Amino acid sequence: MDKARPPRPTINFIDKYCASSINWFSDVRIFEVLEQLHLGMLSPIERKTLPGIAEVVRLANEQSLYHFSTKSPRIKSTLNKSKAIFYFTRLKKHKNICNF
């Protein structure tokens, strides 16, 4: 079996933030859509719509963003679980913010 190509780099912050979730996706292109969504959400556009994000990240159209957000099979449950664990561990380190 061929080895998958590495994802295209975006900006260092987003690459590092999304790196832990690369194993969730069987196709590197789906992972790249995740990075593009993050890049679009951090962009200075006024309204964070899929067409607006597609324009900012220089996609031909928003179709890949739409399919990722609506039809990705494991995205909702996996992202929710991992983000909850991530934020819980971060909050636990800062005991002056909340008591766990």
Side-chain angles (χ1 to χ4, degrees):
M1 180 180 256
D2 293 335
K3 189 175 181 182
R5 68 171 173 80
R8 292 185 188 114
T10 55
I11 59 175
N12 197 25
F13 169 75
I14 291 176
D15 291 340
K16 285 181 179 181
Y17 180 77
C18 294
S20 63
S21 59
I22 194 165
N23 295 327
W24 298 344
F25 306 103
S26 58
D27 189 355
V28 71
R29 293 175 294 175
I30 299 170
F31 174 74
E32 289 174 342
V33 174
L34 174 72
E35 290 185 321
Q36 291 167 342
L37 277 171
H38 280 81
L39 185 60
M41 293 305 290
L42 293 174
S43 68
I45 57 176
E46 203 170 300
R47 299 188 72 190
K48 310 292 186 190
T49 62
L50 293 180
I53 291 173
E55 187 177 330
V56 168
V57 296
R58 296 191 173 128
L59 293 174
N61 59 42
E62 72 276 2
Q63 184 175 4
S64 62
L65 300 174
Y66 173 76
H67 287 300
F68 177 82
S69 61
T70 60
K71 297 184 178 165
S72 187
R74 294 179 49 206
I75 193 67
K76 288 182 184 176
S77 63
T78 307
L79 278 176
N80 289 340
K81 286 178 188 175
S82 66
K83 285 186 179 183
I85 292 168
F86 174 78
Y87 290 123
F88 179 73
T89 56
R90 296 286 187 230
L91 286 172
K92 200 171 184 179
K93 288 180 183 179
H94 300 287
K95 291 183 180 181
N96 59 347
I97 295 175
C98 57
N99 296 320
F100 288 111

